[in-house]
């Protein structure tokens, strides 16, 4: 077929328009094509994976497929992130600093300031948006965590969901984590249920890889020469550490020597591999980490099992990443795919000193219990657990560095980073030492592809990129690093890198033990002045890779200059005000689309309401009323639930009886039930939650409450919940009507435990008004409340 005449948008029509077709000449708007030979781009973003937790970075955890990417490409030993997930991911996608992206914290911890409100500005275009307008297909798979938490419901707005930021397809979850067995899934712009159950062999990572392969195949079979950009982000290795038991069992006995033995083993291997310089000193045993030799036999057995599960989770993830890479090879696309693999921060300490069978405890200030952990040791990794390992393994996972996620020592900010592009990089299996940061990924991709950063994206003038291209280092190990200065701030923990030196101001201190302060301790103005005078440390990274020799006293002038430089960077990138409050930031009110609501009406057959877009029911009086019909013979199932296996409540019928179940962070479950079954017919089924005391949030206790059950306004049962959730009603699952979406809140039923009658509407009332003891009045109240919502 002869070539068609084409013209670009904005150009004059070059054909001829006559009075009839036979004296006319056609021309066509040119399709948006990438340059011939343009590579695919694949970002693989691991979660909470430390510098010493991949095989090619010295770990005993088997990661043969990731190791193969490193062998076919480059490993960087000087990559840095922000020390937290949403902020780092915003850097990976935009090439701008996290405060410039309004991502000072994770989206759940947003506050009302330009650098931290969670609304990523459209002036900071994402790589997906740039490549889309350069002829790419764009796909996002897995974790997103870049949409404001209050904007994650079906009401939107959708402009900061993946499809609103340049991705043509999305399959994954919007929040920071999800249950790997019962995930909260979004397909494009709507919720979907997992295609199978855990009993049927479902696991999120497997599902994500299958969807990733299908998206790539969809595009390539129709347009083989059209490149794709895929942002592939499994939930691993973020808690919950969920993995089939056989993968964890592969590591039985492998960690019985404890975390210090792991550190020594990994450190020796890192020096052997050249990942750390030969003269590096291993950072000290952390004061917050227990002495393995002083633990009881039961504690060692428990803690080793936590790590076996985590290792199995990492290897399981590596296996399925290998399936994705093998698929690219089968398609003939691997050689010309620019792959960047990175973690979003260092290993996570959210499991506390003894580990946790429920990570939600951390977000509610609830201490973990060794005895509960031991009792549930056989459930670790499975659907009934929401587990996270102890912070001894966190410290070990960040070998050779000190500390961890949420802190800006190198343990929190230094991460594995692999670049593999067989067709585009001559060097193989090499190590690069150039300083780099997550904001350098976008400039590197654009430079490698020969694409100029656009001045406009979708008609919006773009801000300058703040990162630097690493292209010069791809084939030249001695190329000078272009990234000379980089600030860090996370929860008041601050640092600054400049030309081989690093100044660090740790908060709440060098450790919790040494400072006597917990995570989330507040920094007021006077404390900040004191910290700037006395709290900064200084390290010469050219000779001290692991930050072990504090030169603050010997290099006082340099330190003072770097403190001043930190404030210059803070002013430039919207870092202030400093907010160290930790999980208390989750309680800050945020603008809602529908303001001032006291009544929330829900309908059957609708999507789950995400936690931050739903009613706030913690520590306040509230009631739930469900208008339902019970068939002849009675009904079973969930009327309304909020939360999942990690925390929440469920209002349901069991054995025909009205039941209220409360899951206090999986540490205790309470149940209140009616004395007699609910008769057949049309009813309003209700419960009241009335606080009977004050919450003790600092110690992980919400307000105790009295519970009353009602059928048509008549009391049918009562009971007490002596302790409730103080801060966060679970990390996965939201409000679901007519079934328990996701994992089950209570242990006496299996999800979804759908209601076998008919539900018409439900009302959640947060006014504290009591339910009247009259059938007619409660129905009128329900109808009126629904009308004025």
């Amino acid at each position: 077929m002869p070539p068609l005449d084409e013209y670009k948008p904005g150009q004059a029509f070059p054909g001829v328009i006559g009075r009839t077709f036979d004296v006319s000449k056609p021309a066509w708007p040119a399709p948006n094509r990438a340059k011939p030979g343009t590579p695919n781009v694949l970002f693989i973003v691991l979660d909470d994976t430390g510098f010493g937790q991949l095989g090619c970075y010295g770990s005993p955890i088997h990661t043969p497929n990731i190791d193969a990417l490193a062998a076919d490409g480059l490993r960087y030993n000087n990559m840095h992130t922000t020390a937290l997930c949403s902020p780092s991911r915003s850097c990976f996608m935009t090439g701008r600093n996290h405060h410039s992206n309004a991502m000072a914290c994770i989206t759940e911890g947003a506050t009302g300031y330009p650098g931290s409100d969670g609304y990523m500005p459209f002036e900071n275009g994402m790589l997906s948006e740039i490549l889309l307008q350069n002829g790419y297909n764009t796909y996002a798979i897995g974790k997103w965590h870049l949409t404001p938490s209050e904007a994650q419901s079906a009401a939107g707005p959708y402009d900061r969901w993946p499809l609103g930021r340049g991705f043509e397809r999305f399959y994954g979850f919007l929040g920071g984590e999800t249950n790997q067995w019962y995930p909260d899934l979004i397909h494009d712009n709507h919720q979907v249920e997992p295609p199978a159950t855990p009993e049927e062999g479902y696991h999120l990572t497997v599902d994500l890889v299958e969807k990733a392969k299908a998206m790539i195949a969809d595009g390539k079979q129709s347009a083989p020469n059209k490149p794709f950009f895929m942002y592939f982000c499994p939930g691993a290795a973020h808690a919950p550490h969920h993995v089939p038991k056989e993968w964890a069992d592969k590591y039985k006995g492998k960690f019985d020597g404890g975390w210090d033995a792991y550190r020594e083993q990994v450190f020796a291997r890192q020096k052997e591999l050249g990942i750390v310089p030969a003269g590096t000193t291993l950072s000290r045993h952390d004061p917050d980490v227990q002495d393995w030799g002083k633990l009881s036999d039961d504690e060692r057995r428990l803690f080793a099992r936590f790590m076996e599960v985590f290792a199995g989770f990492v290897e399981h993830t590596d296996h399925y990443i290998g399936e994705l890479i093998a698929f690219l090879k089968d398609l003939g696309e691997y050689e010309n795919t620019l792959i960047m693999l990175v973690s979003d921060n260092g290993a996570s300490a959210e499991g506390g000193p003894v580990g946790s069978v429920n990570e939600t405890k951390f977000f509610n200030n609830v201490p973990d219990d060794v005895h509960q952990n031991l009792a549930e040791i056989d459930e670790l990794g499975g659907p009934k657990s929401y587990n996270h390992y102890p912070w001894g393994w966190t410290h070990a996972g960040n070998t050779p560095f000190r500390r961890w996620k949420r802190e800006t020592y190198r343990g929190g900010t230094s991460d594995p980073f692999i670049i593999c592009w067989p067709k585009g990089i001559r060097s193989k299996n090499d190590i690069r030492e150039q300083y780099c940061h997550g904001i350098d990924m976008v400039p590197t991709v654009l430079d490698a592809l020969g694409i100029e950063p656009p001045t406009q994206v979708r008609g919006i003038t773009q801000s300058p990129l703040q990162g630097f291209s690493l292209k010069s280092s791809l084939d030249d190990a001695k190329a000078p690093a272009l990234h000379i200065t980089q600030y860090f701030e996370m929860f008041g923990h601050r640092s600054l890198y400049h030309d081989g030196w690093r100044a660090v101001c740790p908060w709440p201190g060098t450790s919790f033990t040494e400072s006597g302060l917990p995570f989330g301790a507040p920094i007021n103005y006077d404390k900040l002045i004191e910290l700037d005078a006395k709290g900064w440390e200084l390290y010469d990274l050219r000779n001290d890779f692991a930050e072990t020799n504090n030169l603050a006293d010997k290099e006082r002038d340099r330190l003072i200059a770097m403190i001043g430089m930190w404030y210059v960077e803070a002013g430039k990138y919207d870092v202030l005000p400093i907010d160290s409050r930790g999980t208390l930031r989750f309680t800050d009110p945020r603008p809602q689309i529908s303001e001032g609501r006291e009544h929330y009406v829900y309908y059957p057959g609708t999507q789950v309401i995400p936690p931050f877009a739903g009613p706030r029911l913690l520590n306040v009086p509230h009631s739930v009323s469900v208008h339902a019909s019970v068939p002849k013979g009675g009904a079973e199932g969930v009327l309304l639930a909020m939360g999942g296996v990690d925390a929440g409540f469920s209002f349901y019928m069991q054995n025909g009886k009205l039941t209220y179940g409360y899951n206090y962070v999986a540490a205790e479950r309470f149940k209140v039930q009616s004395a007699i079954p609910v008769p057949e017919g049309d009813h309003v089924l209700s419960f009241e939650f009335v606080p009977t005391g004050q919450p003790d949030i600092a110690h992980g206790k919400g307000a105790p409450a009295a519970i009353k059950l009602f059928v048509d306004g008549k009391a049918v049962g009562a009971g007490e919940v002596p302790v409730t959730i103080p801060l966060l009603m679970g990390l996965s699952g939201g409000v679901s009507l007519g079934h328990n979406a996701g994992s089950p809140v209570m242990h006496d039923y299996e999800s979804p435990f759908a209601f076998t009658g008919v539900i018409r509407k439900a009302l959640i009332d947060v006014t504290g008004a009591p339910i009247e003891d009259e059938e007619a009045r409660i129905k009128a109240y329900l109808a009126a409340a629904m009308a004025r919502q």
Side-chain angles (χ1 to χ4, degrees):
M1 185 177 72
L4 301 174
D5 285 342
E6 296 179 348
Y7 61 100
K8 295 181 179 180
Q11 292 181 340
F13 176 71
V16 176
I17 301 177
R19 295 182 68 180
T20 60
F21 79 92
D22 57 313
V23 292
S24 301
K25 182 182 178 182
W28 298 85
N32 182 15
R33 299 188 186 100
K35 296 176 183 178
T38 297
N40 308 303
V41 178
L42 171 62
F43 280 8
I44 301 174
V45 182
L46 302 177
D47 208 318
D48 287 5
T49 303
F51 191 84
Q53 289 182 325
L54 299 179
C56 54
Y57 279 79
S59 174
I61 300 174
H62 300 298
T63 54
N65 297 291
I66 293 174
D67 298 353
L69 290 177
D72 231 2
L74 307 171
R75 278 167 292 167
Y76 284 76
N77 72 354
N78 218 349
M79 165 56 94
H80 293 76
T81 58
T82 69
L84 206 64
C85 45
S86 294
S88 292
R89 290 161 189 265
S90 78
C91 296
F92 300 159
M93 289 301 297
T94 68
R96 284 87 165 182
N97 284 302
H98 61 299
H99 291 89
S100 298
N101 289 323
M103 286 287 178
C105 187
I106 56 177
T107 58
E108 294 85 350
T111 57
Y113 300 96
S116 62
D117 62 27
Y119 284 82
M120 292 182 65
F122 297 114
E123 293 83 358
N124 296 358
M126 289 191 175
L127 183 60
S128 47
E129 296 170 306
I130 297 170
L131 295 185
L132 182 66
Q133 65 186 29
N134 279 276
Y136 275 71
N137 282 131
T138 54
Y139 312 125
I141 295 284
K143 175 173 171 175
W144 181 242
H145 211 196
L146 295 174
T147 300
S149 298
E150 61 273 15
Q152 293 179 12
S153 78
Y158 291 88
D159 53 356
R160 287 179 171 84
W161 288 39
L163 269 60
R165 293 306 309 252
F167 286 103
E168 298 170 308
R169 304 285 303 279
F170 174 62
Y171 185 83
F173 55 101
L174 293 178
E177 64 181 67
T178 195
N179 193 308
Q180 300 287 304
W181 302 110
Y182 299 97
D184 305 314
L185 287 174
I186 299 290
H187 190 179
D188 294 338
N189 273 356
H190 65 279
Q191 290 179 5
V192 294
E193 291 296 318
T197 66
E199 295 74 21
E200 294 168 330
Y202 181 84
H203 188 279
L204 178 59
T205 303
V206 185
D207 189 14
L208 295 179
V209 169
E210 288 303 310
K211 294 299 191 297
K213 288 158 46 175
M215 287 184 190
I216 293 170
D218 282 344
K220 288 295 182 181
Q221 66 191 7
S222 297
N225 296 327
K226 186 173 185 178
F228 66 82
F229 168 49
M230 175 166 282
Y231 181 61
F232 180 79
C233 306
H238 198 292
H241 300 157
H242 282 159
V243 70
K245 184 174 182 295
E246 61 269 22
W247 289 84
D249 287 349
K250 295 170 76 170
Y251 288 90
K252 277 191 174 180
K254 300 293 186 182
F255 305 110
D256 289 355
W259 31 68
D260 288 315
Y262 179 102
R263 294 186 79 223
E264 294 288 349
Q265 175 188 355
V266 170
F267 183 54
R269 180 62 176 153
Q270 287 174 334
K271 289 194 290 186
E272 180 184 331
L273 292 171
I275 285 293
V276 304
T280 300
T281 299
L282 180 64
S283 62
R284 65 177 181 166
H285 174 94
D286 194 280
D288 289 333
V289 174
Q290 301 172 78
D291 184 337
W292 188 267
K294 294 181 180 178
L295 298 173
S296 68
D297 290 344
D298 276 346
E299 287 173 321
R300 286 196 290 266
R301 176 171 63 91
L302 171 66
F303 298 164
R305 184 56 180 173
F306 271 115
M307 186 58 185
E308 290 166 8
V309 171
F310 175 81
F313 190 23
V314 172
E315 184 176 347
H316 180 265
T317 305
D318 174 86
H319 174 83
Y320 286 98
I321 288 174
E323 287 205 354
L324 179 58
I325 300 303
F327 181 72
L328 293 179
K329 292 179 178 179
D330 289 343
L331 291 180
E333 298 291 338
Y334 169 72
E335 295 288 326
N336 199 29
T337 299
L338 171 56
I339 301 172
M340 291 185 175
L341 182 145
V342 69
S343 175
D344 59 3
N345 45 246
S348 168
E350 286 148 18
V354 299
S356 182
V357 294
N358 183 14
E359 185 214 10
T360 301
K361 288 184 175 183
F362 166 81
F363 295 98
N364 283 288
N365 298 330
V366 179
D368 286 290
D369 186 322
V370 170
H371 299 294
Q372 182 190 5
N373 292 352
L374 279 166
E376 299 181 28
I377 189 172
D378 292 334
E379 301 291 347
L380 295 179
K384 293 183 179 179
S385 188
Y386 211 86
N387 49 295
H388 194 305
Y389 58 21
W391 60 31
W393 295 117
T394 311
H395 181 45
N398 292 324
T399 302
F401 306 119
R402 63 166 71 183
R403 303 303 283 174
W404 41 57
K405 174 184 176 183
R406 307 191 312 266
E407 301 184 12
T408 69
Y409 281 123
R410 292 201 68 183
T413 66
S414 291
D415 287 283
F417 181 50
I418 296 168
I419 301 181
C420 176
W421 182 17
K423 189 174 179 179
I425 302 174
R426 295 189 301 274
S427 300
K428 307 291 181 187
N429 199 26
D430 280 353
I431 293 169
R432 294 291 183 264
E433 298 179 353
Q434 286 85 355
Y435 184 90
C436 50
H437 185 276
I439 62 175
D440 299 334
M441 292 170 64
V442 167
T444 303
V445 170
L446 297 182
D447 197 5
L449 270 53
I451 296 174
E452 288 289 327
T455 57
Q456 288 191 339
V457 170
R458 300 184 185 183
I460 297 173
T461 300
Q462 294 295 285
S463 67
L465 295 180
Q466 295 164 0
F468 300 85
S469 173
L470 294 166
K471 184 182 177 184
S472 61
S473 72
L474 297 183
D475 281 314
D476 184 359
K478 296 182 179 180
L482 302 179
H483 201 142
I484 305 300
T485 304
Q486 179 63 46
Y487 82 92
F488 297 86
E489 188 280 328
M490 190 56 63
F491 294 117
H493 203 290
R494 295 174 288 158
S495 56
L496 180 91
Y497 170 84
H498 179 68
D499 199 17
W501 290 79
R502 206 159 186 273
V504 184
C505 187
W507 181 258
T510 51
S511 68
F512 304 134
T513 299
E514 290 165 324
S515 70
L517 295 171
F519 169 67
I523 297 175
N524 59 24
Y525 184 81
D526 291 340
K527 187 63 181 180
L528 180 64
I529 299 302
E530 178 187 340
L531 287 170
D532 284 340
K534 303 176 182 178
W536 285 83
E537 304 165 358
L538 183 66
Y539 300 96
D540 179 2
L541 298 187
R542 300 167 301 176
N543 302 298
D544 184 15
F545 185 76
E547 295 180 335
T548 61
N549 183 22
N550 181 9
L551 301 176
D553 292 336
K554 295 180 180 179
E555 294 273 356
R556 190 69 184 167
D557 289 346
R558 183 187 299 273
L559 177 60
I560 290 171
M562 290 184 71
I563 296 171
M565 194 180 299
W566 186 91
Y567 276 99
V568 170
E569 298 295 290
K572 188 187 302 183
Y573 298 118
D574 286 333
V575 177
L576 301 177
I578 290 169
D579 188 345
S580 65
R581 290 175 299 147
T583 55
L584 283 178
R585 293 167 69 143
F586 293 3
T587 64
D588 281 7
R590 299 181 182 89
Q592 301 290 326
I593 296 173
S594 178
E595 296 183 3
R597 294 173 72 188
E598 294 181 333
H599 304 98
Y600 298 76
V601 179
Y602 298 119
Y603 304 93
T606 53
Q607 297 185 14
V608 175
I609 308 299
F612 281 82
R616 298 207 170 188
L617 304 181
L618 300 178
N619 307 310
V620 297
H622 59 271
S623 64
V624 170
S625 297
V626 179
H627 186 190
S629 295
V630 176
K632 185 176 181 179
E636 300 282 301
V638 171
L639 297 162
L640 185 143
M642 186 172 187
V645 70
D646 54 325
F649 73 85
S650 183
F651 185 41
Y652 56 110
M653 287 180 63
Q654 191 172 59
N655 299 322
K657 296 180 180 180
L658 198 58
T659 308
Y660 175 84
Y662 196 89
N663 175 353
Y664 171 64
V665 296
E668 295 182 82
R669 285 177 169 84
F670 307 100
K671 190 172 174 179
V672 180
Q673 196 165 55
S674 64
I676 58 174
V678 178
E680 66 178 272
D682 197 53
H683 301 288
V684 174
L685 309 174
S686 312
F687 76 80
E688 276 184 351
F689 178 104
V690 180
T692 56
Q694 295 300 311
D696 183 0
I697 291 174
H699 295 94
K701 296 180 179 180
I707 306 297
K708 291 183 179 179
L709 303 178
F710 299 86
V711 175
D712 299 323
K714 298 183 182 300
V716 295
E720 301 288 328
V721 177
V723 61
T724 63
I725 302 159
L727 285 170
L728 187 63
M729 182 85 76
L731 291 165
S732 63
V735 177
S736 52
L737 182 63
H739 68 294
N740 187 157
S743 59
V745 172
M746 300 297 285
H747 280 340
D748 57 1
Y749 62 77
E750 296 293 331
S751 287
F753 197 38
F755 183 61
T756 57
V758 175
I759 291 178
R760 307 188 187 285
K761 293 178 182 177
L763 167 74
I764 297 179
D765 183 305
V766 294
T767 64
I771 293 177
E772 301 289 342
D773 188 20
E774 298 178 25
E775 178 179 355
R777 187 168 295 182
I778 185 62
K779 285 189 175 181
Y781 168 75
L782 181 65
M786 288 182 175
R788 65 174 182 265
Q789 60 169 312

